[in-house]
Amino acid sequence: GAVAAAEGAPSSLRELNLNGCEIGDRGATALAESPRLARLRRLDLAEQMNFGRMQSHDSITKAGAAAIARSESLAGLREL
């Protein structure tokens, strides 16, 4: 999942597609805290965000989105 991607991603990774992977807030936080993703420019989390819809335990909530938005490691993102 996202935790493994954050820990094992090559430091040169520019694009990461996790569409439909249901990473949840734990995965979003792992991505946000990973220095290995500092060169990431595009992160696809389509179908992950859950702001007011029926909540799945694996959806990214406002807390997970905030972790990504505040992330120094993901400051280079151009597309989310």
Side-chain angles (χ1 to χ4, degrees), residues 20-39:
C21 292
E22 298 183 354
I23 66 170
D25 287 340
R26 181 173 175 251
T29 300
L31 294 173
E33 294 175 351
S34 176
R36 299 189 62 79
L37 299 178
R39 293 188 177 173

Side-chain angles (χ1 to χ4, degrees), residues 9-17 31 34-45 68 71-80:
S11 60
S12 61
L13 188 67
R14 299 286 192 162
E15 294 188 19
L16 181 59
N17 183 341
L31 294 173
S34 176
R36 299 189 62 79
L37 299 178
R39 293 188 177 173
L40 201 64
R41 297 298 172 256
R42 182 176 182 274
L43 177 59
D44 186 350
L45 297 174
I68 290 172
S71 172
E72 290 184 24
S73 294
L74 299 178
L77 278 179
R78 299 294 175 251
E79 186 178 343
L80 176 61

Side-chain angles (χ1 to χ4, degrees), residues 52-77:
R53 295 182 309 221
M54 187 172 182
Q55 188 164 346
S56 160
H57 71 283
D58 290 327
S59 296
I60 297 174
T61 67
K62 290 179 183 179
I68 290 172
R70 288 190 307 261
S71 172
E72 290 184 24
S73 294
L74 299 178
L77 278 179

